[in-house]
Amino acid sequence: MSLLQREREIITRNEYVERFDFDEIEAFVRGASKELFISHRFETAGKMLVQPRGGFPTYDQVFRLYEAFVEAGVDVLPLTIDSNTRLNDYATARKMLALSEENDTDMLNGYPLINHGYRTTRRMITHFDTPVSLRHGTPDARLLVEVALASGIFEIEGGPITYLLPYSKNFPLDKAFLYWKYVERICALYSELNEPINRESFGPLSATLQPPVIVIVIQLLEMLLSLEEGVRSFSVSFSQTGSMIQDVVTANVLRKLARHYAEAFGYGDARIHLVYHQWMGAFPYDKELSDALITTSTVIAAMVGADKIITKTRNEAFGIPTPEANARAVASVQYTLGMLRGIPAVSDAEEEEHLERMVTEIMEAVLNDGADTLWRQTFNAIKRGWIDIPFSPHVINANEVITIRDSGENIRILERGRLPISDRSFAYEQSKIRLEQGQRVVEKIIQDIGIMQ
């Protein structure tokens, strides 16, 4: 028995998990319908894939949600995990699931996959024969991913940076890197049996004034950490910034550098996809304005040539959307995309050159660190403040970088902290910033955060 298999048996031997039959699971994955694999759908769809958000605690609720999505023409289904499971608190998740089922009241903010189990969940996944993406926010996702893959969920979102620094305060970063190394190896292992398991990084980060340079650097590093463990299909992502041209520039640089670094590290055969998240900040309370925001972001997704768009709804300002509102958003986005085929490419050469230069400066600093592994180089870069996520709650994050918007609503770096970017790059950022006379920075930040309200 290999060391990895021994570790797998220890991790899956859990009082809240049904008995794992690894031979049966392997046979299931080997014979699974190719329609369950988003990596296959990327290759064959000939269009941008549309994926909503959504999740409920009970099996029946999720089943009905999926029915509504499929009727609306969804391409990828979401499975959003509850916050207790994200924290590996399966005991509380089990109690809250029982209360949800008994009282017909949602006591969880998502689906407790561990407690439902892979045999039950697999019945639902295979029934719809549509790719499902696991959305979870878990620093230690080892058990969760084992159950997800056994269920037929063949896209796994997240990573050691993107699912830790924006979500957690104290979870050890070094442990997160090692736990996600396990996840990558399991995804790579199952990829040998059928179509590749797709891994997707979470580009929105804290979803608050994120500078594209930081987003791209983190996307590249999580991609490389995944590919080095044998993953063959990976999606880089980012979210709507609030500036149409900055979105286009970000997409072009991210796509170009993802391919560059994959080839430079010897992973030229990897399938790399681009995912665009619709606006992740505060939505307007006027639902018609929300519709306009969603339509605009759909147009931008077409302009950047995204392989997948992750949608929002007109009810975002009021809480968790109903299945009906969610399905309506899917249908609307599909309709809009249908009118945008052949949209001409646009860009800004000067901004692309500037952004690519900044990304390269930080990547060179990270990769020139003397540590013996990529994850240690990345860990050291975060400790030193070379990678710094604005508004991250984590104690290891420097939180010295300050960003605001320029007159064109592009996100600019006002204070660079310890980012290893050149004086030339920083001067370019500074040259674009104009504060009104007497305006305090904190007032500008608050204004910029609520740009869409």
Side-chain angles (χ1 to χ4, degrees):
M1 181 186 297
S2 69
L3 184 61
L4 176 60
Q5 185 58 33
R6 190 173 303 147
E7 185 177 2
R8 295 181 72 192
E9 295 196 356
I10 292 171
I11 288 171
T12 56
R13 197 176 300 131
N14 184 295
E15 63 177 304
Y16 300 102
V17 179
E18 59 191 325
R19 186 184 65 84
F20 255 66
D21 185 339
F22 286 105
D23 290 338
E24 186 278 334
I25 294 168
E26 180 177 324
F28 161 70
V29 175
R30 193 183 299 277
S33 165
K34 293 190 181 301
E35 295 303 317
L36 292 177
F37 293 84
I38 192 174
S39 57
H40 174 73
R41 190 67 66 90
F42 277 134
E43 298 296 315
T44 60
K47 63 179 287 291
M48 187 188 310
L49 304 183
V50 175
Q51 175 190 310
R53 291 176 168 83
F56 293 100
T58 71
Y59 180 98
D60 290 342
Q61 286 175 301
V62 175
F63 195 96
R64 290 194 295 271
L65 178 67
Y66 284 2
E67 286 181 320
F69 280 150
V70 169
E71 185 176 351
V74 78
D75 297 302
V76 185
L77 293 165
L79 191 69
T80 303
I81 303 302
D82 70 284
S83 55
N84 290 291
T85 300
R86 297 179 189 196
L87 298 174
N88 310 109
D89 184 1
Y90 312 127
T92 300
R94 182 169 66 179
K95 293 176 185 176
M96 294 300 104
L97 173 60
L99 289 172
S100 298
E101 292 173 334
E102 291 169 6
N103 301 313
D104 195 26
T105 301
D106 293 346
M107 301 299 293
L108 293 167
N109 60 349
Y111 185 85
L113 177 58
I114 301 297
N115 303 99
H116 281 290
Y118 72 84
R119 291 177 175 86
T120 296
T121 304
R122 187 193 292 174
R123 289 200 300 271
M124 176 163 54
I125 303 301
T126 54
H127 171 82
F128 289 100
D129 199 28
T130 300
V132 177
S133 180
L134 185 73
R135 329 298 290 188
H136 55 106
T138 313
D140 180 5
R142 293 173 296 173
L143 179 58
L144 180 64
V145 168
E146 287 279 13
V147 177
L149 293 170
S151 302
I153 300 168
F154 297 142
E155 177 174 82
I156 308 297
E157 188 192 42
I161 308 169
T162 60
Y163 265 11
L164 181 72
L165 297 189
Y167 290 99
S168 175
K169 180 180 180 181
N170 295 307
F171 194 97
L173 179 59
D174 53 351
K175 286 188 176 181
F177 277 112
L178 296 176
Y179 293 160
W180 276 90
K181 184 181 285 286
Y182 174 100
V183 169
E184 311 296 5
R185 289 175 176 173
I186 300 307
C187 289
L189 185 68
Y190 280 125
S191 293
E192 299 299 323
L193 305 178
N194 201 318
E195 296 292 322
I197 307 299
N198 191 66
R199 285 277 294 106
E200 180 178 311
S201 184
F202 181 66
L205 301 178
S206 70
T208 308
L209 294 179
Q210 297 302 302
V213 62
I214 294 297
V215 172
I216 294 175
V217 165
I218 291 173
Q219 292 301 291
L220 297 176
L221 291 170
E222 286 201 341
M223 178 194 72
L224 292 174
L225 288 165
S226 184
L227 297 182
E228 76 174 1
E229 298 299 336
V231 168
R232 296 186 285 120
S233 181
F234 194 92
S235 296
V236 291
S237 75
F238 73 103
S239 63
Q240 185 176 2
T241 64
S243 162
M244 182 178 293
I245 194 62
Q246 191 166 54
D247 287 352
V248 173
V249 168
T250 299
N252 289 346
V253 173
L254 177 54
R255 183 185 288 108
K256 175 183 177 180
L257 292 184
R259 177 50 58 191
H260 166 76
Y261 281 101
E263 292 178 354
F265 276 69
Y267 311 123
D269 60 342
R271 305 180 192 177
I272 302 172
H273 320 285
L274 179 67
V275 175
Y276 183 76
H277 292 252
Q278 291 186 327
W279 181 247
M280 292 287 285
F283 260 65
Y285 286 97
D286 186 322
K287 292 185 178 181
E288 291 186 0
L289 293 180
S290 291
D291 288 339
L293 174 55
I294 290 167
T295 300
T296 301
S297 66
T298 305
V299 173
I300 298 172
M303 291 173 65
V304 306
D307 297 300
K308 182 174 77 172
I309 182 172
I310 301 180
T311 63
K312 289 282 193 158
T313 79
R314 70 198 317 251
N315 290 1
E316 291 297 324
F318 303 96
I320 298 174
T322 63
E324 293 75 21
N326 228 330
R328 175 182 174 180
V330 169
S332 176
V333 169
Q334 292 281 27
Y335 177 79
T336 304
L337 288 174
M339 294 188 290
L340 295 171
R341 290 175 182 164
I343 190 169
V346 298
S347 190
D348 184 317
E350 181 183 39
E351 288 287 350
E352 280 193 29
E353 180 184 356
H354 165 65
L355 180 56
E356 183 176 341
R357 181 175 62 250
M358 282 202 297
V359 172
T360 303
E361 288 167 350
I362 297 178
M363 288 295 291
E364 286 181 354
V366 174
L367 299 176
N368 286 331
D369 178 83
D372 58 346
T373 59
L374 178 59
W375 82 260
R376 289 184 185 276
Q377 290 174 323
T378 307
F379 176 79
N380 290 342
I382 295 169
K383 282 180 62 179
R384 293 179 180 128
W386 294 354
I387 297 172
D388 187 352
I389 299 174
F391 300 97
S392 164
H394 203 281
V395 294
I396 202 171
N397 192 73
N399 274 315
E400 294 177 358
V401 171
I402 298 175
T403 53
I404 60 176
R405 296 186 183 275
D406 66 17
S407 59
E409 309 301 355
N410 301 288
I411 298 170
R412 299 293 183 184
I413 297 173
L414 177 68
E415 298 287 346
R416 61 175 160 178
R418 287 171 271 169
L419 295 185
I421 58 175
S422 65
D423 290 342
R424 175 189 175 190
S425 293
F426 187 49
Y428 184 93
E429 292 285 292
Q430 294 283 288
S431 71
K432 301 295 182 177
I433 296 172
R434 296 287 185 274
L435 286 173
E436 295 179 8
Q437 186 173 3
Q439 185 178 27
R440 295 189 303 161
V441 171
V442 66
E443 293 172 346
K444 181 72 165 82
I445 290 173
I446 293 171
Q447 174 186 319
D448 290 344
I449 289 173
I451 185 178
M452 297 300 181
Q453 289 186 297

